[in-house]
Amino acid sequence: ARFQPLYNKRREVLVQGYQPTDAESKPVPCEGIEWEDEDSGVDSRPDDLRDLSKFWLMALMHCSDTRKLIRKHDEPVLEHLDDITVDLREDGTGYALKFHFRPNDYFSNSVLSKTYILDPSAEKDVFYGGPTFIKCWGSPILWKDGKNVTVAPAASKASPAKSTKSTTSASASKKPPPSAGSAAAPATAPRVSFFNFFGPSTVAGSEAETMQLLSEDIKVANIIKDNILPHAVLWFTREAMAYEMDFWSALLDEKGEQQSGAPAARKTSSSSSATAKTATTTAA
């Protein structure tokens, strides 16, 4: 709730085309941090960072945990993503992620949601170390005809381009009759897609496999809620990627120190500046 005014302003910029004033564009003074003066009057951003219509696609693509879910056929759909919001349950037992889309040629939903319910009295989840969620569900996607990116046309053998009448007749005479109970080949086959995120988190296996899949699903949801949403601008500009690399580098240094007993260098400057800079860039 504290950052909601910044989220609202970010939505104004991305959805309504609001242009920040000069005063709003200046970094907020922060103790111990000196901002570089980059106001040269020339837009030096790379081409892919100038198109704000792809803001959320780029933010999701630049985070390793969500990038691994996105395939090439998902990208044209995610270009229509306007905003991502979260609704927290008043009793503190879960939340709902909401993905807001502009009208598009793929589905008729304006919002796709994924809801998670947790058990606050249970111990931490053994797979990802967070609260134990007991169930989750996504909204059904109303795909338009032939636009479902979670399925692909099934492979079929191509027929010869030309055939003589005699050959065709001979082939037809040798063709065995269909066996009883046989069915036609499916027109589509399931494939990996970001939009499977809104489907059920179950597998045709053991309960342990299902729980592990659910935990991985919840881990991604928590990353979107706690990491990408508050710092979306930094993910869009790729700055958060450097902080992510610093985090893993520091973690590896710490593990190396524990194994060898020798002190390792700590990387703290990037993470501290990221925290301060996020407050000023979230509404950009």
Side-chain angles (χ1 to χ4, degrees), residues 13 34 46 60 65 87 110 113 162 180 184 202 212 224 243 247 256 267:
V13 172
E34 296 182 2
L60 294 171
D65 290 287
D87 288 348
S110 60
S113 63
K162 295 182 179 179
T202 57
Q212 183 172 1
I224 294 174
Y243 307 139
F247 168 79
K267 297 184 179 181

Side-chain angles (χ1 to χ4, degrees), residues 12-178:
E12 287 182 25
V13 172
L14 297 176
V15 179
Q16 303 173 14
Y18 175 81
Q19 295 294 325
T21 64
D22 292 340
E24 290 174 324
S25 300
K26 291 182 179 179
V28 177
C30 297
E31 184 179 354
I33 297 179
E34 296 182 2
W35 302 111
E36 296 181 4
D37 185 8
E38 300 177 349
D39 187 12
S40 61
V42 177
D43 189 350
S44 59
R45 293 175 297 172
D47 290 340
D48 61 341
L49 298 187
R50 297 184 187 184
D51 186 1
L52 293 182
S53 66
K54 300 179 182 179
F55 177 88
W56 286 105
L57 168 61
M58 302 305 293
L60 294 171
M61 288 290 288
H62 292 160
C63 176
S64 60
D65 290 287
T66 49
R67 180 175 62 248
K68 63 186 179 183
L69 304 178
I70 299 172
R71 297 298 185 268
K72 199 69 178 178
H73 48 264
D74 295 320
E75 295 181 22
V77 191
L78 289 171
E79 288 180 7
H80 298 279
L81 182 58
D82 258 348
D83 200 7
I84 304 177
T85 60
V86 59
D87 288 348
L88 302 175
R89 296 173 66 92
E90 293 183 358
D91 58 2
T93 59
Y95 60 86
L97 284 175
K98 294 187 175 181
F99 296 73
H100 304 258
F101 286 85
R102 297 187 296 276
N104 59 80
D105 295 332
Y106 296 91
F107 47 74
S108 56
N109 310 67
S110 60
V111 178
L112 298 180
S113 63
K114 188 74 176 283
T115 302
Y116 296 86
I117 305 298
L118 61 83
D119 182 0
S121 62
E123 297 180 356
K124 289 186 175 182
D125 186 280
V126 296
F127 291 107
Y128 79 102
T132 298
F133 286 79
I134 53 179
K135 59 181 177 179
C136 67
W137 64 89
S139 57
I141 303 178
L142 306 177
W143 295 104
K144 296 181 180 180
D145 189 32
K147 296 294 185 178
N148 187 346
V149 298
T150 67
V151 297
S156 59
K157 294 183 179 179
S159 58
K162 295 182 179 179
S163 176
T164 62
K165 184 176 180 180
S166 59
T167 303
T168 303
S169 301
S171 299
S173 62
K174 294 180 180 180
K175 185 177 181 180

Side-chain angles (χ1 to χ4, degrees), residues 241-252:
M241 296 175 70
Y243 307 139
E244 184 181 38
M245 292 177 63
D246 281 352
F247 168 79
W248 289 113
S249 178
L251 186 62
L252 291 174

